[in-house]
Amino acid sequence: MSTGDSDQPNPFKGTPFEQLFGALGGAFGGPGGGQAFFQQLQSLMQPHDGPLNWQAAGDIARQAVAQEPDPFPTSRESDRVADAVQLADHWLDTATAFPSGVTTTAAWSRAEWLVETQPVWKVLVEPIAATSVAGVGNALPEEMRATAGPILGILGQAVGAMMASQVGQGLGALAGEVLTASDVGLPLGAPGKAALVLTNVRAFAEGLGVSEEDVVLYLALREAAHQRLFANVSWLRDYLIGAVTDYARGLELNASQIQERMQEQLRGIDPSNLESMQSLLEGGLFDPPKTPAQEAALSRLEIALALVEGWVDEVVGQATAQRMPTAAQLREAVRRRRAAGGPAEQTFAALVGLELRPRRLRDASTLWGGLRARSGEEARDGVWMHPDLLPTAADLDDPLSFRAEATAPEELSAEDFDAELRKLLDGPAGPTDGDDSPAGDEPTA
């Protein structure tokens, strides 16, 4: 059925897609700009599994990375990273009772970061992409879906192709900025693999007035701290990724909203230009107002990311306080970088509607530091035993009041200890609910 044939009824007449297919002209059988548009999409619309063509997205990301030199790290550079992570883990042993979570180390090029992190990006992005692609058809009135079926299939592929292109561009830009495997706060690499992207590390070190060796060590400390937290808090990885997928499940496309946005955004769109058509996505065409459930998921993710980054910031600060004179300067540089974000993070936020950078890192770091000062490292790290124990947004509003009543346990004499032990042994048998704190030696001061 041709939308450009006046003798045939337009199945999209009176729907949000009428103006779109009017702009595309005779894309489905007649002459017009739409034909050129779909010719550009052809390479992205090859058969593939899932809602996105990840092969095409990966190719686009690698092309973006190849615009600048991206040397593969040498064996000497890999050894340098391994030595820095080993020293970092030794220092962190004095700052937290969580044992090391590092099993392997690596020095990555930007291209290697793309390959190593793609499995997790698939988990994060595909639910959102699938909902957006399916939502194109769901936005139509039910009585129109049958006659519009063939064209809807092509439109769904086109939307998926544009999203694959956008994902590739976003990941390519991120690859040019990330410093470590855990730099965005999410566990993107393989569990236990501590990695630094050395080309980006060198670029970050420029202009700081700090030796590159100190920069490498400081970032190794942060990476090793991330690995400890995710290795010892078994629920945290699924909790963060679950917040993203919960957001995707709540995504709903509303026909009237899409129609209104199309009318605004199709002005000046050149259907023969793929980049021009991508502006439909960049402009928020398929980014409807968030539902209460989505807002809750995003809030949960934002707070959790801030708590993760704040814990890492606080623990690394504690580990370096008496050992690394440049740590305070590097800490502030990292904080400012994370707070400001960059073009790559903004691109990805526009695509999936998610902010990758924590807005409240300083508040979270203050909260963890205050709790440690009052109650010790064990109490601070014990908050991670269960997600229900995590601080809330209200706690971050007043971080020094979080568990303000908590104080460090008093030292017991030998007689008092024996008395308390007898009470415990004479009490009811059975384990205490929720006692799944990590094993390990008592933390040192």
Side-chain angles (χ1 to χ4, degrees):
M1 181 178 297
S2 170
T3 60
D5 188 346
S6 59
D7 296 332
Q8 296 291 338
N10 181 356
F12 295 100
K13 187 173 180 60
T15 76
F17 305 113
E18 179 180 12
Q19 192 171 0
L20 174 62
F21 281 92
L24 293 178
F28 303 97
Q35 190 72 32
F37 168 61
F38 279 106
Q39 286 175 354
Q40 291 192 56
L41 282 177
Q42 186 176 7
S43 63
L44 296 176
M45 294 171 63
Q46 298 302 314
H48 59 273
D49 295 329
L52 283 182
N53 185 339
W54 281 98
Q55 179 63 50
D59 290 343
I60 292 169
R62 284 187 289 273
Q63 290 170 10
V65 165
Q67 298 302 309
E68 297 181 1
D70 183 37
F72 284 96
T74 64
S75 58
R76 183 176 180 179
E77 289 172 327
S78 297
D79 291 341
R80 179 188 183 190
V81 170
D83 291 343
V85 172
Q86 183 178 18
L87 179 58
D89 254 341
H90 176 67
W91 287 7
L92 289 171
D93 285 339
T94 67
T96 175
F98 286 155
S100 173
V102 176
T103 55
T104 59
T105 63
W108 285 343
S109 65
R110 293 163 176 168
E112 287 174 308
W113 179 87
L114 290 172
V115 173
E116 294 280 349
T117 62
Q118 188 180 92
V120 176
W121 283 119
K122 285 185 177 181
V123 175
L124 292 171
V125 174
E126 284 197 347
I128 298 171
T131 305
S132 297
V133 171
V136 172
N138 295 336
L140 279 178
E142 186 174 354
E143 62 273 12
M144 296 184 180
R145 295 177 192 171
T147 57
I151 302 178
L152 273 180
I154 297 175
L155 180 59
Q157 290 183 57
V159 171
M162 286 190 286
M163 293 194 71
S165 176
Q166 185 102 354
V167 167
Q169 292 174 18
L171 293 182
L174 275 173
E177 295 182 3
V178 291
L179 302 176
T180 68
S182 306
D183 195 29
V184 300
L186 294 168
L188 297 179
K193 191 169 191 176
L196 274 64
V197 184
L198 286 184
T199 299
N200 296 341
V201 170
R202 294 190 186 96
F204 173 68
E206 292 178 359
L208 290 180
V210 176
S211 70
E212 188 175 308
E213 287 73 17
D214 276 4
V215 175
V216 169
L217 177 56
Y218 188 81
L219 294 176
L221 280 156
R222 287 183 49 81
E223 174 69 359
H226 275 104
Q227 296 293 343
R228 282 192 185 224
L229 189 60
F230 283 107
N232 290 281
V233 182
S234 58
W235 54 265
L236 183 56
R237 177 181 292 263
D238 290 341
Y239 182 87
L240 291 173
I241 294 176
V244 179
T245 55
D246 285 349
Y247 165 84
R249 280 195 293 267
L251 186 64
E252 297 178 359
L253 300 184
N254 180 280
S256 61
Q257 291 169 348
I258 292 178
Q259 185 173 20
E260 182 178 344
R261 295 189 184 200
M262 276 186 170
Q263 290 172 349
E264 294 175 356
Q265 296 181 38
L266 278 172
R267 299 186 184 96
I269 292 294
D270 178 4
S272 66
N273 186 318
L274 181 57
E275 293 184 0
S276 177
M277 294 300 290
Q278 282 176 342
S279 67
L280 292 173
L281 292 177
E282 296 168 0
L285 176 59
F286 300 111
D287 180 25
K290 296 177 179 64
T291 65
Q294 285 180 293
E295 293 285 4
L298 290 178
S299 176
R300 188 166 74 251
L301 178 65
E302 181 182 57
I303 293 171
L305 284 176
L307 293 173
V308 168
E309 292 297 286
W311 185 89
V312 167
D313 183 77
E314 200 277 328
V315 168
V316 170
Q318 185 186 358
T320 57
Q322 304 301 322
R323 297 181 176 93
M324 194 175 188
T326 58
Q329 182 179 348
L330 289 168
R331 184 184 200 180
E332 186 61 25
V334 168
R335 282 180 167 185
R336 289 181 178 178
R337 175 180 177 272
R338 298 290 281 131
E345 291 179 344
Q346 294 164 11
T347 297
F348 203 84
L351 173 66
V352 299
L354 298 173
E355 290 284 355
L356 295 179
R357 56 189 172 89
R359 300 173 184 272
R360 312 193 65 178
L361 186 155
R362 293 177 188 269
D363 293 336
S365 182
T366 299
L367 182 147
W368 293 124
L371 182 57
R372 172 180 56 83
R374 292 190 301 273
S375 308
E377 298 161 9
E378 185 176 357
R380 177 199 64 195
D381 297 346
V383 175
W384 292 104
M385 286 193 303
H386 192 278
D388 289 347
L389 299 177
L390 289 183
T392 64
D395 293 322
L396 291 178
D397 290 338
D398 189 9
L400 292 179
S401 294
F402 179 67
R403 298 191 179 181
E405 74 286 353
T407 57
E410 297 179 1
E411 292 290 336
L412 296 178
S413 66
E415 293 78 7
D416 290 338
F417 178 83
D418 290 340
E420 293 298 323
L421 180 60
R422 282 194 297 272
K423 290 179 183 179
L424 179 64
L425 295 176
D426 293 340
T432 301
D433 291 340
D435 186 12
D436 56 354
S437 56
D441 296 334
E442 290 294 323
T444 57

